[in-house]
Amino acid sequence: MEGLVEFKTEDGAVIAVEAADDVSGSRLVSRDGTVQAARTFENALDGVRSAAEAALRVFRDGALRPDGVEIEFGVKLSAETGAIIAKGAAEGHLVIKLTWTPAPQ
């Protein structure tokens, strides 16, 4: 299979994912185009986790005070940059759903 990036987890497991366009900063591990990522899988997702935490703070701590917040990111994994919030049909893939539960009467 061409265009794969192999990420190692902190416990040593290997996860192969379809490569984003950018494979610079990585190391070729086979002739079929598979490259080894420069970061662990967990480190690659750090930026997305930070983005989710920031978005939650905005909606939980703001004036809206929803009972529930759901955040959906489309994520691409890159050998060099780690996780990237993916471009979807619109300019970026980020879906936020806020819910309120009516007070019992």
Side-chain angles (χ1 to χ4, degrees), residues 7-13 15 39-49 77 82-83:
F7 287 87
K8 285 193 177 180
T9 64
E10 291 176 355
D11 64 0
I15 300 170
R39 304 172 178 210
T40 65
F41 185 70
E42 293 86 351
N43 290 119
L45 293 173
D46 278 344
V48 174
R49 180 181 54 220
L77 292 168

Side-chain angles (χ1 to χ4, degrees), residues 3-7 15-19 41 77:
L4 294 179
V5 176
E6 288 186 352
F7 287 87
I15 300 170
V17 298
E18 185 178 358
F41 185 70
L77 292 168

Side-chain angles (χ1 to χ4, degrees), residues 59-60 64-71 96-102:
F59 292 106
R60 284 187 180 159
L64 295 175
R65 303 271 185 212
D67 294 321
V69 178
E70 292 181 28
I71 299 174
I96 299 174
K97 180 180 177 183
L98 307 175
T99 58
W100 289 266
T101 305

